[in-house]
Amino acid sequence: GCSATRCEGRCKTREEALTRARHRMKLLLIAVGQRPPAWAQQAYEEFAKRFPPEMRLHLKSVKAEPRQGRSQVQVLALEAARIEAACPKGARRVVFDERGERLSTAQLAARLQAWAHDARDVALLIGGADGLDPALKAGADESIRLSDLTLPHALARVLVAEALYRAWTVTVNHPYHRE
């Protein structure tokens, strides 16, 4: 449970602390690709371990589909099936897509708070080299854009972990984020 000392001023009453403890939100980052470079895995883990107990970030890597003899449509559909299988039932689905909504850190912090109050886990979906299946994107609750730049695929996990951690620090007035 959430004790008064772990709430560090965020919980005003014992009842609020108990409510927070009951509504632990799991952020599940589901990403295509199982072997990111060591530097990317290390950077992801550095941010993931900083999350508080009531809002943990977990990574579920799914196998990228080999291209050999398959069309892009087939590859995306096979990867989508793996992503679907990794998504918890009832979770809010948030896709990261180049055509998604642009959010500032403050906007992402507000979104993170809204997700926490929704009392559902959040599945954050990152596609492979060819992106995400159109049907998977269409069925998502939200679509967020990471950057206007073209970035190395391995960096996406790190960016998501850092952005979510930064957003969380904004919600608790932690000094990590500076305007």
Side-chain angles (χ1 to χ4, degrees):
C2 183
S3 69
T5 55
R6 275 211 315 241
C7 275
E8 298 168 4
R10 291 174 287 165
C11 300
K12 293 176 182 62
T13 66
R14 177 161 171 69
E15 185 176 314
E16 184 179 348
L18 291 172
T19 299
R20 277 185 183 270
R22 278 194 300 272
H23 296 292
R24 290 176 182 235
M25 177 176 61
K26 183 169 32 171
L27 299 169
L28 181 62
L29 181 57
I30 302 171
V32 174
Q34 295 181 299
R35 291 193 199 113
W39 63 264
Q41 186 62 31
Q42 183 179 4
Y44 166 82
E45 288 170 0
E46 176 60 36
F47 289 109
K49 75 181 182 185
R50 296 180 185 189
F51 282 81
E54 69 269 13
M55 188 181 298
R56 286 285 179 212
L57 178 63
H58 303 274
L59 176 63
K60 173 68 177 165
S61 298
V62 299
K63 184 178 176 284
E65 187 60 34
R67 204 55 193 264
Q68 304 141 344
R70 293 187 179 94
S71 70
Q72 182 181 17
V73 171
Q74 291 170 317
V75 168
L76 290 176
L78 290 165
E79 290 175 349
R82 290 187 182 116
I83 291 169
E84 289 279 356
C87 278
K89 279 194 191 305
R92 170 180 297 281
R93 292 177 181 211
V94 179
V95 297
F96 287 94
D97 182 66
E98 63 188 348
R99 290 172 197 81
E101 182 181 359
R102 283 190 183 110
L103 296 177
S104 68
T105 297
Q107 290 169 320
L108 183 58
R111 197 70 55 91
L112 195 59
Q113 285 183 312
W115 296 342
H117 291 306
D118 192 30
R120 294 192 307 177
D121 290 336
V122 179
L124 305 147
L125 312 181
I126 298 175
D130 293 315
L132 289 164
D133 183 77
L136 193 63
K137 289 192 279 189
D141 295 293
E142 299 179 52
S143 180
I144 297 174
R145 177 186 199 113
L146 275 181
S147 175
D148 289 339
L149 301 172
T150 301
L151 302 166
H153 186 71
L155 201 50
R157 297 172 191 204
V158 178
L159 287 176
V160 169
E162 194 283 337
L164 289 169
Y165 173 71
R166 182 177 295 274
W168 172 77
T169 66
V170 168
T171 68
V172 296
N173 297 316
H174 185 285
Y176 179 80
H177 177 70
R178 294 175 180 86
E179 287 293 330

